[in-house]
Amino acid sequence: MATGMTADVNGPIRVLVVDDSAYMRFTITRYLNDVPDIQVVGTARDGEEALDMISRLNPQVITLDVEMPRLDGLSTLQEIMRIQPRPVIMLSSLTKEGAQETVRALTLGAVDFVAKPDSKANIQVVMDEIVQKIRRAAQVKARALVQTDWSTPGSEEILDRVSSKLTRPWQESDVLIVIGASTGGPRALSALIPALPQNLNAAMLIVQHMPAGFTRSLAHRLDSLSAFRIKEAAPGDRLEVGLGLVAPGGFHLTLDAQGTVQLNQNPPVHGVRPAVDVTLLSVAQHFASRTLAVILTGMGNDGANGAALIHAAGGYVIAEDETTAVVWGMPRSVVEARAANAVLPLSAMAAKIEHLVRQFNGGWRD
């Protein structure tokens, strides 16, 4: 999808700016109102004020500060998603705590985030990023943001499984699951991965479009919820059954013939690094017929070329269905390339993955 498109052809994108900083409210508003296809319809100092304004002003997109008095950003986000879902872009700090809160927000339904500037010198870069992400967010379908019961494990079951995580070396008879995602991905990953049982004969790679500093927090969160052990990948890591490796922000992740992780900072592919296609290409060279590729929500077409290679070489490819994808860009490109063996809503994926892995015996059986 073109990033310059808006969701409303009859007028500019209506934006509500929520931030406890008067300077940020003024700066964001002044900048956005100079952009022809965006209109700031209101500003709010905290979450309580924002919730009241949403019902009156009906903005298409909301920019929401994470740290605010009275009702903070995460609590406000939860209320928005509960009573009047719409695309929300979080503004957060680059601290470790800020990264953790941002990842939490993305799993609660925020579609994207922008790191707040640490000095006035780079405010222009941040404002340009906000404009780009507002345009993308305006294309998100609100119905895809509504939280659905995906039958994920309860807290007691998660604690039991987390306390007994076991891994073992990956063998020739085992499966490699590669999951790719972008916009809306943290939320989808937080639904899918915790629903996978511990005793699957599979290793896992996760490629989520996310900048450096945030993928480690994503890995920690997924690890806390899942039966799989999840960690940010490091050079020299090896594939292990029961282990999920998250590609670090700012690095492409590849595998060698022995299943050892290699990281590089080669130029971005499709404008992103890590890129799903880079990982799938390396996997296809060595393990294609044993690979189960899963392409989740995301803008653009990253993953389509790699999925086509996996599919052609005898691997299995699942694409997320339009009904649950926050942005049906990456999955659609896989479907249009005729590389998908199955197109499934998020709620049906865990059961399908479990079935495929358990039935795998050198080949795939539906």
Side-chain angles (χ1 to χ4, degrees):
M1 296 183 183
T3 59
M5 293 175 58
T6 66
D8 183 0
V9 297
N10 297 316
I13 304 167
R14 296 166 54 84
V15 177
L16 174 64
V17 175
V18 186
D19 202 300
D20 70 328
S21 165
Y23 169 76
M24 289 303 296
R25 291 196 306 274
F26 172 79
T27 302
I28 294 172
T29 299
R30 182 181 65 176
Y31 191 89
L32 293 183
N33 280 339
D34 283 340
V35 179
D37 59 338
I38 296 175
Q39 176 189 8
V40 175
V41 295
T43 64
R45 294 168 294 181
D46 57 46
E48 291 184 7
E49 191 173 291
L51 292 174
D52 176 64
M53 298 181 76
I54 291 169
S55 60
R56 292 189 289 106
L57 300 175
N58 193 30
Q60 291 170 258
V61 178
I62 299 169
T63 69
L64 180 60
D65 187 17
V66 171
E67 299 177 6
M68 296 185 298
R70 293 209 296 175
L71 195 64
D72 63 34
L74 292 182
S75 300
T76 303
L77 175 66
Q78 287 179 295
E79 282 300 294
I80 293 171
M81 292 303 143
R82 185 179 68 84
I83 61 177
Q84 38 199 349
R86 65 198 62 219
V88 175
I89 299 169
M90 306 301 297
L91 272 66
S92 71
S93 69
L94 281 172
T95 64
K96 179 180 178 182
E97 293 75 16
Q100 291 171 342
E101 290 180 331
T102 300
V103 168
R104 173 67 174 151
L106 293 171
T107 64
L108 290 172
V111 299
D112 216 327
F113 73 96
V114 174
K116 277 191 170 183
D118 52 16
S119 70
K120 295 182 180 180
N122 59 2
I123 191 72
Q124 179 72 40
V125 174
V126 173
M127 291 300 113
D128 289 344
E129 184 180 359
I130 291 175
V131 168
Q132 180 188 54
K133 291 188 174 181
I134 286 173
R135 288 171 173 160
R136 291 178 177 177
Q139 301 174 44
V140 171
K141 298 175 182 177
R143 63 179 173 80
L145 298 173
V146 178
Q147 184 70 42
T148 306
D149 181 8
W150 290 313
S151 299
T152 53
S155 57
E156 291 186 4
E157 182 181 352
I158 289 172
L159 288 173
D160 287 344
R161 298 190 315 180
V162 167
S163 65
S164 60
K165 291 183 181 182
L166 298 174
T167 64
R168 65 165 174 80
W170 194 62
Q171 301 171 352
E172 287 189 7
S173 58
D174 297 323
V175 169
L176 173 57
I177 302 170
V178 182
I179 303 176
S182 186
T183 307
R187 180 170 173 266
L189 292 168
S190 294
L192 173 60
I193 294 178
L196 297 174
Q198 182 181 34
N199 58 346
L200 283 183
N201 293 326
M204 186 187 302
L205 300 177
I206 301 163
V207 183
Q208 165 69 49
H209 296 167
M210 190 173 275
F214 292 87
T215 44
R216 179 167 296 180
S217 292
L218 175 64
H220 286 168
R221 174 153 182 80
L222 293 175
D223 183 64
S224 72
L225 296 173
S226 308
F228 271 68
R229 181 186 172 217
I230 309 293
K231 67 180 289 286
E232 187 179 54
D237 282 342
R238 298 288 297 270
L239 293 178
E240 297 181 35
V241 166
L243 174 66
L245 297 172
V246 177
F251 291 85
H252 294 306
L253 185 154
T254 62
L255 293 177
D256 65 16
Q258 287 71 48
T260 303
V261 168
Q262 300 174 333
L263 302 177
N264 69 71
Q265 289 187 301
N266 292 341
V269 175
H270 308 296
V272 294
R273 188 177 59 206
V276 185
D277 270 337
V278 172
T279 298
L280 286 177
L281 175 60
S282 76
V283 168
Q285 291 175 333
H286 307 297
F287 314 113
S289 63
R290 302 159 58 190
T291 298
L292 170 56
V294 181
I295 306 299
L296 299 175
T297 174
M299 193 162 295
N301 61 358
D302 186 24
N305 293 335
L309 289 173
I310 298 294
H311 182 267
Y316 199 99
V317 178
I318 300 174
E320 184 175 357
D321 188 75
E322 184 177 9
T323 57
T324 60
V326 170
V327 179
W328 203 56
M330 287 167 52
R332 181 180 65 181
S333 67
V334 172
V335 173
E336 291 178 347
R338 300 184 182 276
N341 297 85
V343 182
L344 299 172
L346 191 60
S347 57
M349 282 192 180
K352 182 66 171 180
I353 291 170
E354 180 179 0
H355 172 77
L356 288 167
V357 173
R358 296 202 189 286
Q359 294 296 315
F360 183 79
N361 186 20
W364 299 98
R365 288 183 290 168
D366 274 315

